[in-house]
Amino acid sequence: MPTIRLQTEDFDLSHECAAIRDRSRAIGAIASFVGVVRDMNDGSGVSSMTLEHYPGMTERALEKIVAEASQRWDVIDATVIHRVGTLQPQDQIVLVVVASAHRGHAFAACEFIMDYLKTDAPFWKKEATPQGTRWVEARASDDDAKQRWDSKGSAT
Amino acid sequence: MPTIRLQTEDFDLSHECAAIRDRSRAIGAIASFVGVVRDMNDGSGVSSMTLEHYPGMTERALEKIVAEASQRWDVIDATVIHRVGTLQPQDQIVLVVVASAHRGHAFAACEFIMDYLKTDAPFWKKEATPQGTRWVEARASDDDAKQRWDSKGSAT
Amino acid sequence: MLKVLYFAALREAIGVAEERVALPAPATVGALVEALRARDGKYADALAPSRRWRVAVNQDMVGLDAALKAGDEVAIFPPVTGG
Amino acid sequence: MLKVLYFAALREAIGVAEERVALPAPATVGALVEALRARDGKYADALAPSRRWRVAVNQDMVGLDAALKAGDEVAIFPPVTGG
């Protein structure tokens, strides 16, 4: 069963990976991703960032994305944690961990989950900059990153 | 400067990622991979595994692999740790962490480093099983995983 | 009636997070958006076609031709930017 | 003279980890392997072409036609299996 959590507090990567390792002896590969708040975006300094989400739908969207990844690749276990509320530069914002018997599946499923999270999970970022606050615009590159999975088979 | 270490002791993923985050405020994405000793391989139970390496050449090979990844993608920082000596099932065996401004580069460089490590870095595994000890055979799938990078441009 | 939710920049532009709205005729997402736009300039501007807003019904993403029924939860929001 | 190192299954099959070997004529990796094979059945078997061993000279992977010079460190080992 995948673990999906939305939380204001920080997370610990080692702790989440160890929890996954403890649940199965068949795991040979753990791929993970941590997104970090940068202090610059589109040429402006970012002093803080606030994340809004859609309670209920966000969890549901993440569950669907992880289920889809588990259909495409051999996923033994997965954890997705996304923080909400106000964060500072260098804070961790999102964690995706995927465990598999083999590395190709772990890498592919982890990147797939991140690419779909970026386009399909209802989160919105608002940045505080010296020029005031602004909502972050969606990037066309995120749609491209998602769409390339449509033309790919499952990796090995 | 990338960090490359060979060591008998265990490593802590969170600690290594935090060290990388502390060194740059431009990091937006950290992809990492942990290889874990499985308790089964080729149909036999594995009670322990011993890793031999070629002191000097192993470090050099890892440095070359990380340098090549840094040429192909925007790598802000990277850490590779490989354990040597005797390990038990569920022990961590290898860690690759790659930090970049954007996730596509971090994922691609991390997977590239693992694929090249598997074929180009002089490590050899010997497994202890109920039928005695045996050297692990190289897999054709690892050569395939490496070779697919020859036909790929740099990912975004 | 429908429960209509707005998020992020759209919520700020319209000035409410949640409201009750009568089921439009025909009972589709497209007709609901038309009815909201007709209310005033604030809605018309926030829901202009150029703004690339998205719609979810009962927490599933849908298109403008999706059907609505009484009691549905409809959410309208900008393209997502998490992660 | 050359310093020749053996690793893993090859080290165990030959029974030594490191030895001094005379520079072969011609001074190439291929000629070195031939000279080692000619020593006895243990070397001949461990270095049979079917065994897919690899060679590094001064810690860089090379092919059989690579040149050797006095003082070089030559390592012979099976395909690697780390990670």
Side-chain angles (χ1 to χ4, degrees):
Chain A
M1 273 299 294
T3 301
I4 289 167
R5 294 208 307 270
L6 301 180
Q7 59 189 42
T8 53
E9 58 271 26
D10 200 8
F11 50 78
D12 182 77
L13 178 52
S14 295
H15 176 82
E16 300 304 332
C17 288
I20 280 181
R21 276 211 324 278
D22 286 347
R23 289 198 288 266
S24 167
R25 294 177 68 84
I27 292 169
I30 301 178
S32 53
F33 179 83
V34 174
V36 177
V37 180
R38 287 186 299 155
D39 63 350
M40 286 293 286
N41 190 25
D42 289 334
S44 288
V46 174
S47 57
S48 73
M49 164 173 292
T50 301
L51 271 139
E52 181 169 330
H53 75 293
Y54 180 175
M57 180 170 170
T58 306
E59 294 86 337
R60 200 181 144 105
L62 294 175
E63 281 162 17
K64 280 162 70 175
I65 293 166
V66 173
E68 172 72 22
S70 302
Q71 289 256 320
R72 293 192 182 209
W73 296 282
D74 292 337
V75 173
I76 294 175
D77 208 341
T79 294
V80 178
I81 300 175
H82 203 298
R83 292 176 72 187
V84 294
T86 298
L87 303 174
Q88 314 301 321
Q90 290 188 284
D91 278 353
Q92 303 187 117
I93 180 169
V94 61
L95 170 71
V96 177
V97 182
V98 175
S100 178
H102 300 290
R103 74 184 184 285
H105 289 256
F107 272 117
C110 186
E111 190 166 12
F112 174 94
I113 291 169
M114 269 310 300
D115 284 348
Y116 274 68
L117 184 155
K118 282 271 181 184
T119 54
D120 288 15
F123 292 103
W124 301 274
K125 285 176 181 161
K126 190 176 196 174
E127 292 173 340
T129 76
Q131 294 79 43
T133 61
R134 63 181 184 194
W135 289 97
V136 174
E137 296 280 328
R139 292 176 190 278
S141 62
D142 286 329
D143 286 327
D144 296 345
K146 175 188 167 184
Q147 269 155 23
R148 87 203 145 91
W149 295 102
D150 294 341
S151 56
K152 273 193 193 178
S154 71
T156 53
Chain B
M1 275 298 295
T3 301
I4 289 167
R5 295 209 307 270
L6 301 181
Q7 60 190 43
T8 52
E9 58 270 28
D10 200 8
F11 51 77
D12 182 77
L13 178 52
S14 295
H15 176 81
E16 300 303 331
C17 289
I20 280 181
R21 274 210 327 276
D22 286 347
R23 289 198 289 265
S24 167
R25 293 176 69 85
I27 292 169
I30 301 178
S32 53
F33 179 82
V34 174
V36 177
V37 180
R38 287 186 297 156
D39 64 350
M40 286 293 286
N41 190 25
D42 289 335
S44 287
V46 173
S47 56
S48 72
M49 164 172 292
T50 301
L51 270 138
E52 181 170 329
H53 75 294
Y54 179 175
M57 180 170 169
T58 307
E59 293 87 336
R60 199 181 146 108
L62 294 173
E63 281 163 16
K64 281 162 68 176
I65 293 166
V66 173
E68 171 73 21
S70 303
Q71 289 255 319
R72 293 191 181 211
W73 296 282
D74 292 338
V75 173
I76 294 175
D77 208 340
T79 294
V80 178
I81 301 175
H82 203 297
R83 293 177 73 187
V84 293
T86 298
L87 303 174
Q88 314 301 321
Q90 290 188 285
D91 278 353
Q92 303 188 115
I93 181 169
V94 61
L95 170 70
V96 177
V97 182
V98 175
S100 177
H102 301 290
R103 73 185 184 284
H105 289 256
F107 273 118
C110 187
E111 190 167 12
F112 175 94
I113 291 170
M114 269 310 299
D115 284 348
Y116 273 69
L117 184 155
K118 282 271 182 185
T119 53
D120 289 14
F123 291 102
W124 300 273
K125 283 175 182 162
K126 190 176 196 174
E127 293 174 339
T129 76
Q131 294 80 41
T133 61
R134 64 181 185 196
W135 290 97
V136 173
E137 296 280 329
R139 291 176 190 278
S141 62
D142 286 329
D143 286 327
D144 296 345
K146 175 187 166 185
Q147 269 154 22
R148 88 202 144 93
W149 295 102
D150 294 341
S151 56
K152 274 193 192 177
S154 71
T156 52
Chain C
M1 298 292 278
L2 302 165
K3 178 167 137 188
V4 180
L5 310 176
Y6 307 101
F7 288 95
L10 203 62
R11 172 177 51 73
E12 288 187 351
I14 290 173
V16 294
E18 176 176 339
E19 60 183 334
R20 302 266 147 192
V21 178
L23 196 66
T28 66
V29 167
L32 171 66
V33 172
E34 281 303 322
L36 292 169
R37 273 190 201 129
R39 286 182 169 184
D40 65 31
K42 199 174 54 178
Y43 280 91
D45 183 53
L47 295 173
S50 60
R51 297 229 178 244
R52 300 175 62 218
W53 34 266
R54 304 279 190 267
V55 180
V57 174
N58 299 327
Q59 306 187 352
D60 281 317
M61 301 283 278
V62 298
L64 289 180
D65 54 351
L68 296 173
K69 62 182 188 306
D72 279 348
E73 175 178 300
V74 182
I76 313 180
F77 46 76
V80 308
T81 55
Chain D
M1 298 293 278
L2 302 165
K3 178 167 138 187
V4 180
L5 310 176
Y6 307 101
F7 288 96
L10 202 61
R11 173 177 51 71
E12 288 187 352
I14 290 174
V16 294
E18 176 177 339
E19 60 184 334
R20 301 267 146 189
V21 177
L23 196 65
T28 66
V29 166
L32 171 66
V33 172
E34 281 303 324
L36 291 169
R37 273 191 200 128
R39 285 182 170 185
D40 66 29
K42 197 174 56 179
Y43 280 91
D45 183 53
L47 296 173
S50 60
R51 295 229 177 244
R52 299 175 64 217
W53 34 266
R54 302 281 190 265
V55 180
V57 173
N58 299 328
Q59 306 188 352
D60 280 317
M61 302 283 278
V62 297
L64 288 181
D65 54 352
L68 296 173
K69 62 181 189 309
D72 279 349
E73 175 177 300
V74 181
I76 314 180
F77 46 76
V80 307
T81 56

